Amino acid sequence: MIHHNIYLHKSSQQWVTFVHGAGGSSSIWFKQLRAFRAQFNVLLLDLRGHGNSNPKLQDSLDENYTFDAITNDIVEVLNINGIQKSHFVGISLGTILIRNLAENYPERVSSMIMGGAIMKMNVRSRFLINVGVIFKSVVPYMILYKLFAFIIMPRKNHKKSRNLFVNEAKKLYQKEFIRWFKLTSEINPLLKFFRQKAIDIPSLYMMGEQDYLFLPAVKKISETHKEAKLFILKNCGHVVNVEQPNVFNTKVIDFIKNLEPLPYRLETT
């Protein structure tokens, strides 16, 4: 089972599960933890091969390295902890896993909050993936990762996010990076399906206005999918929860609270 931490609330029945992106870990949610655990039960997890979910021998031999398999890792954690249903908050590649979980297990998902959502690979991002496919086995993965991080988050105000993801990615093994990279190079059909099929689950997209690679596709989704709402953070790049945590926390908590009746909410003074 993948590594995870649980923070129980004394009265709330609502769960919020955080899903990080490729190369990250649950530590990227450090600016969310205090605000959310004051309102909800919180589940933080490290995806396979990331953070404290160290790669195991059986993983290295497992050919079933797919989005469905990684999604099932998350469901296994829910099951073992008796969590029947949760709100899911994701960033970057984690948003794909959340959307996939909602497709396969809609009864487990109360809502989806997707920061820096990846819903389409444009020409630039596909070029990056192709370069990575060519060089992934011969170039140290950290060189590729730093390059990708800079292209996705190029501005001065993105530096903190870049450094955070690069530092977390250093904990990956080269083989683990290659597995995840191979996974991301095969997502186009899945993303096309997600764009074409609206899902009847409340969804909030939290996107930075400077997230030039991924914002355009999300704008179109918010216009055509009934349950999808979009909030654009000004002067912000891809990793919205790190760059503007206060805005992110306020908007997401308000979104979740407005979905359910009052009994589970806490009064603040």
Side-chain angles (χ1 to χ4, degrees):
M1 180 180 301
I2 58 175
H3 180 267
H4 60 279
N5 289 307
I6 280 179
Y7 302 86
L8 294 175
H9 191 272
K10 61 183 179 181
S11 60
S12 176
Q13 299 301 308
Q14 300 294 306
W15 282 90
V16 177
T17 300
F18 289 89
V19 184
H20 65 79
S25 76
S26 57
S27 66
I28 71 160
W29 304 109
F30 70 99
K31 292 187 177 182
Q32 280 66 58
L33 182 56
R34 182 177 180 181
F36 280 81
R37 65 182 295 189
Q39 306 274 356
F40 313 103
N41 300 295
V42 171
L43 170 61
L44 297 180
L45 49 82
D46 291 331
L47 299 174
R48 61 169 69 180
H50 292 68
N52 290 316
S53 293
N54 296 321
K56 299 176 181 178
L57 178 60
Q58 59 262 39
D59 292 334
S60 65
L61 301 175
D62 187 5
E63 297 298 325
N64 187 33
Y65 218 93
T66 64
F67 279 106
D68 281 348
I70 298 169
T71 297
N72 287 336
D73 288 346
I74 301 173
V75 175
E76 183 182 22
V77 173
L78 297 179
N79 290 342
I80 202 69
N81 289 287
I83 303 172
Q84 296 302 313
K85 199 167 188 178
S86 177
H87 302 277
F88 286 86
V89 182
I91 193 73
S92 195
L93 189 73
T95 63
I96 301 176
L97 295 172
I98 290 173
R99 180 62 177 81
N100 194 52
L101 194 154
E103 191 64 39
N104 295 342
Y105 306 93
E107 73 283 357
R108 309 300 293 269
V109 182
S110 298
S111 72
M112 301 183 292
I113 295 92
M114 296 181 279
I118 299 175
M119 286 293 131
K120 184 177 183 180
M121 307 295 284
N122 65 11
V123 174
R124 288 184 181 181
S125 52
R126 288 199 300 271
F127 174 77
L128 283 177
I129 293 295
N130 289 335
V131 168
V133 169
I134 294 171
F135 293 106
K136 68 180 185 298
S137 298
V138 295
V139 175
Y141 79 91
M142 283 308 304
I143 294 178
L144 288 175
Y145 197 90
K146 288 178 180 179
L147 173 63
F148 296 159
F150 185 80
I151 292 174
I152 294 171
M153 300 170 273
R155 300 198 182 192
K156 185 177 180 179
N157 59 302
H158 306 164
K159 184 177 180 180
K160 189 173 184 179
S161 299
R162 282 199 309 271
N163 290 342
L164 177 62
F165 267 73
V166 167
N167 288 334
E168 285 298 317
K170 290 177 182 177
K171 301 174 184 178
L172 287 175
Y173 294 92
Q174 177 88 4
K175 289 183 179 179
E176 197 69 19
F177 172 82
I178 291 173
R179 291 191 191 98
W180 275 88
F181 200 89
K182 185 175 184 295
L183 193 66
T184 59
S185 69
E186 299 172 353
I187 63 176
N188 280 329
L190 187 63
L191 295 183
K192 183 178 180 180
F193 174 76
F194 291 162
R195 293 194 305 273
Q196 291 178 343
K197 182 187 177 185
I199 193 165
D200 190 26
I201 293 175
S203 307
L204 174 64
Y205 290 89
M206 298 287 290
M207 304 294 293
E209 69 170 351
Q210 298 166 352
D211 195 356
Y212 68 99
L213 284 181
F214 305 116
L215 178 57
V218 174
K219 283 183 175 179
K220 291 183 179 180
I221 289 175
S222 68
E223 293 169 356
T224 57
H225 292 196
K226 181 181 177 182
E227 295 290 341
K229 296 181 180 180
L230 170 63
F231 182 83
I232 299 176
L233 290 82
K234 301 294 184 182
N235 302 312
C236 189
H238 183 61
V239 191
V240 290
N241 67 301
V242 173
E243 288 188 43
Q244 295 192 19
N246 292 335
V247 176
F248 182 89
N249 295 348
T250 298
K251 291 294 180 181
V252 173
I253 290 173
D254 286 348
F255 175 76
I256 293 174
K257 283 186 172 183
N258 288 331
L259 293 175
E260 300 288 348
L262 290 174
Y264 77 91
R265 303 183 191 176
L266 295 179
E267 295 295 332
T268 57
T269 57

